[in-house]
Amino acid sequence: MLSALLGEQRVLWGGGIIFLLFLIALFAPLIAPHNPLEQDLMLSRIPPVTSPGAEPGYYLGTDDLGRDVLSRLIYGTRIALTVAVIAAGLAAILGSLLGLLAGWYGGWTDRVISRLVDIWMAFPPVLLSVLLVAVLGAGLHSVIAAIVIIDWTRFCRVVRAETIAQASMDYVTAARTVGFARMQILVKEIVPNIMPVFVALLSLEMGIAVVVEAILSFVGLSVSSDTPTWGGMIAAGRQTIHHTPWVLIAPLAMLLITVLSFNQLGNGLRRALDPVMRR
C-alpha cells in the first residue's frame, strides 16, 4: 500500500503541496511577516518586491489600505483549509452513510434516498449555497452548513453505485454462505472495498469546498469582511485591478494551486489504492 502511494507521482505532488498548505495555515502567526489586519495608508499600493518602488518586507506588495498581501494570503489559507476539512468531512459522512444504506438494503430504502437525491440535485448548487448562507446568516458555520447540505448528494450517489457493484461480487456471496450477518458483511467486507473511491472523492470534494468558500467570500457571505479570505481578496483586487493587479493575482494563484493539488491528490489516491487501475 505504502509503496503504491509513493510510486504515484500525483500523490507525491498533490499531497506535498497540500501538506505544505496545512503547515502554512498551522504556523501562520510565525510565518506571516505582518499583521494581516494592520492598515497604513502611507504604505498603500506598494508593488511586489521584484517591481520598482517596492518596500523591504512587503514581498507581495500591499493593497489600497496598506495591508500586506502576503500576510493576508497566509491567514486566508486557514479559512480555506478549515472549510475544506470540516465541510467535506461532514458531507462525506452523511452522504456515504445514506449511500451505503440505499445500495445495500435496496427496496423502499433505496427508492426514498434516491428520490431525495434527485430532488436535491435539481437545484443549481451555487445558487442554493448562496440562498442557504443568506438564510442562515453570514459566517464560517453557515458556509460549512451550506456545503454539507448541498454536497452530501455527490457522496451518496457514488457510494450507492459502488455498494451495489460490490454486493454482486463473489466474496459477498461467500460471506453470506458462511453465515455473516448483513450489517457485518456491509461493515467488514463492502466498506473496505469502496474506500479507494471514497478517499479519492473526499479529496476532490475538499477542492470544491475551497472554491465554494471563495465564491461566498467574494460576494460577502462568508466570514466578516475584516477576516482575510482568498475570495475577499479577489473581490477587493477586482475593483483595483488596473492599479494593484498583484492583489488579484496572488489569491487567484493560491486558489488555483490549492484546487489543482486536491484534484491531483484525489486522482492519484484513486489510482494507487485501486488494484484494478494499478495493473
Side-chain angles (χ1 to χ4, degrees), residues 59-119:
Y59 303 102
L60 294 182
T62 61
D63 59 13
D64 271 7
L65 298 177
R67 297 174 297 189
D68 181 46
V69 172
L70 177 58
S71 299
R72 293 180 64 79
L73 205 64
I74 290 172
Y75 273 85
T77 307
R78 286 185 156 186
I79 301 296
L81 295 185
T82 297
V83 172
V85 172
I86 299 177
L90 293 177
I93 294 172
L94 176 60
S96 298
L97 287 176
L98 292 176
L100 285 170
L101 294 175
W104 181 237
Y105 288 100
W108 66 268
T109 304
D110 184 22
R111 288 193 293 271
V112 170
I113 295 176
S114 296
R115 295 296 79 76
L116 182 61
V117 170
D118 292 339
I119 294 172

Side-chain angles (χ1 to χ4, degrees), residues 87-100 113-114 116-118 120-126 129 146-162 197-212 263:
L90 293 177
I93 294 172
L94 176 60
S96 298
L97 287 176
L98 292 176
L100 285 170
I113 295 176
S114 296
L116 182 61
V117 170
D118 292 339
W120 222 252
M121 296 190 72
F123 297 97
V126 174
S129 63
I147 294 174
V148 173
I149 292 172
I150 294 170
D151 284 351
W152 67 270
T153 54
R154 183 177 292 107
F155 287 91
C156 186
R157 295 190 72 174
V158 173
V159 171
R160 172 186 174 274
E162 285 293 319
V197 175
F198 173 82
V199 171
L201 188 60
L202 177 61
S203 180
L204 294 173
E205 175 60 29
M206 287 183 178
I208 294 173
V210 171
V211 173
V212 173
N263 289 344

